[in-house]
């Protein structure tokens, strides 16, 4: 897979395989856990998230079993819109707010290789847990200025630290173990229409925001 510079920020698609792993095998038998995951995500046992990026906008197409959903960031109002395929209702999150306070982002010695790309890592520590991000600063570059004020997911701070999109994210907690690993990416020009928010009959603000 080739990579060429396209300005200072990546424009194109990146697809992640998202696995929800057994967070506590001593309490939950793997067979029971896997049965529950397949009932939620289908026989594949994982979710597929395809992200489209262009400057300060992104949209994700999310497949989980038979269901398909979307999440789009609107840089004009700073809201994240989530909706299911063929639904006339969307739920919004204010990206400028985040209940989980960031403590620090520190360099880690852990390394990995994703899609043949050697990656270093950082650890994102917050009040609610920690996440390890694997990246290579020569790939998937992204200017954090496009996401100023995007506190949700600590996104602005992460981009300032690593300068691009992560190739792998691993989050562990008391009852959480989620791994998102890039399975492909492509640098292509994307039409602005891809990021237009559909017209919904109802838009609901997430009460947890």
């Amino acid at each position: 897979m080739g990579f060429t510079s396209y300005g200072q920020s990546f424009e194109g698609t990146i697809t992640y395989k998202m696995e929800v792993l057994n967070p506590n095998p001593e309490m939950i038998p793997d067979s029971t856990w896997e049965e529950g995951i397949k009932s939620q995500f289908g026989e594949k046992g994982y979710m597929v998230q395809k992200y489209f990026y262009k400057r300060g906008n992104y949209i994700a197409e999310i497949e989980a079993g038979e269901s398909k959903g979307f999440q789009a960031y609107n840089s004009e109002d700073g809201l994240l819109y989530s909706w299911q395929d063929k639904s006339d209702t969307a739920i919004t999150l204010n990206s400028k707010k985040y209940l989980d306070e960031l403590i620090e982002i520190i360099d880690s010695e852990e390394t990995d290789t994703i899609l043949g790309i050697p990656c270093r890592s950082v650890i994102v520590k917050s009040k609610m847990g920690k996440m390890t991000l694997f990246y290579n600063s020569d790939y998937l570059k992204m200017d954090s200025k496009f996401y100023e004020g995007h506190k949700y997911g600590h996104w602005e701070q992460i981009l300032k630290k690593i300068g691009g999109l992560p190739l792998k994210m691993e989050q562990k907690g008391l009852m959480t173990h989620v791994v998102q690993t890039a399975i492909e990416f492509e640098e292509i020009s994307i039409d602005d229409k891809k990021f237009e928010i559909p017209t919904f009959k109802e838009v609901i603000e997430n009460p947890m925001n």
Side-chain angles (χ1 to χ4, degrees), residues 53 72 94 107 130 149 183:
Y53 283 94
N94 186 346
D107 293 315
K130 72 175 186 177
I183 54 176

Side-chain angles (χ1 to χ4, degrees), residues 96-162:
K96 299 181 188 304
K97 299 178 182 178
Y98 197 35
L99 294 175
D100 186 15
E101 186 180 334
L102 180 67
I103 297 173
E104 62 179 345
I105 302 177
I106 58 174
D107 293 315
S108 168
E109 294 183 1
E110 192 174 355
T111 60
D112 203 345
T113 302
I114 297 106
L115 295 173
I117 300 168
C119 296
R120 56 186 300 187
S121 65
V122 294
I123 296 173
V124 181
K125 292 184 178 180
S126 66
K127 285 196 171 181
M128 295 173 67
K130 72 175 186 177
M131 177 169 55
T132 305
L133 303 178
F134 296 85
Y135 70 100
N136 184 312
S137 56
D138 291 330
Y139 293 80
L140 306 172
K141 293 181 180 181
M142 185 64 69
D143 190 338
S144 65
K145 289 180 181 178
F146 284 132
Y147 296 99
E148 283 184 2
H150 193 316
K151 293 182 179 179
Y152 186 77
H154 314 302
W155 195 230
E156 180 187 7
Q157 296 95 326
I158 286 169
L159 290 178
K160 280 183 178 178
K161 176 67 176 177
I162 69 176

Side-chain angles (χ1 to χ4, degrees), residues 9-143:
S9 286
F10 173 76
E11 179 178 346
T13 67
I14 179 167
T15 304
Y16 294 97
K17 170 184 178 180
M18 179 178 171
E19 300 169 280
V20 182
L21 305 179
N22 189 346
N24 198 333
E26 293 180 0
M27 287 182 60
I28 309 169
D30 283 334
S31 57
T32 303
W33 180 264
E34 288 168 11
E35 186 178 326
I37 289 297
K38 284 187 177 182
S39 69
Q40 187 177 0
F41 295 156
E43 280 302 310
K44 286 191 295 188
Y46 58 85
M47 188 186 299
V48 176
Q49 304 167 307
K50 184 173 184 178
Y51 282 84
F52 297 76
Y53 283 94
K54 184 173 184 177
R55 295 190 295 274
N57 292 299
Y58 63 80
I59 183 170
E61 297 175 350
I62 304 164
E63 293 183 10
E66 297 297 314
S67 67
K68 183 176 181 180
F70 302 87
Q71 186 178 64
Y73 172 68
N74 185 349
S75 58
E76 291 184 7
D77 59 19
L79 296 179
L80 279 164
Y81 292 77
S82 300
W83 68 95
Q84 292 298 114
D85 193 27
K86 298 176 183 176
S87 172
D88 58 8
T89 302
I91 297 173
T92 63
L93 271 171
N94 186 346
S95 69
K96 299 181 188 304
K97 299 178 182 178
Y98 197 35
L99 294 175
D100 186 15
E101 186 180 334
L102 180 67
I103 297 173
E104 62 179 345
I105 302 177
I106 58 174
D107 293 315
S108 168
E109 294 183 1
E110 192 174 355
T111 60
D112 203 345
T113 302
I114 297 106
L115 295 173
I117 300 168
C119 296
R120 56 186 300 187
S121 65
V122 294
I123 296 173
V124 181
K125 292 184 178 180
S126 66
K127 285 196 171 181
M128 295 173 67
K130 72 175 186 177
M131 177 169 55
T132 305
L133 303 178
F134 296 85
Y135 70 100
N136 184 312
S137 56
D138 291 330
Y139 293 80
L140 306 172
K141 293 181 180 181
M142 185 64 69
D143 190 338

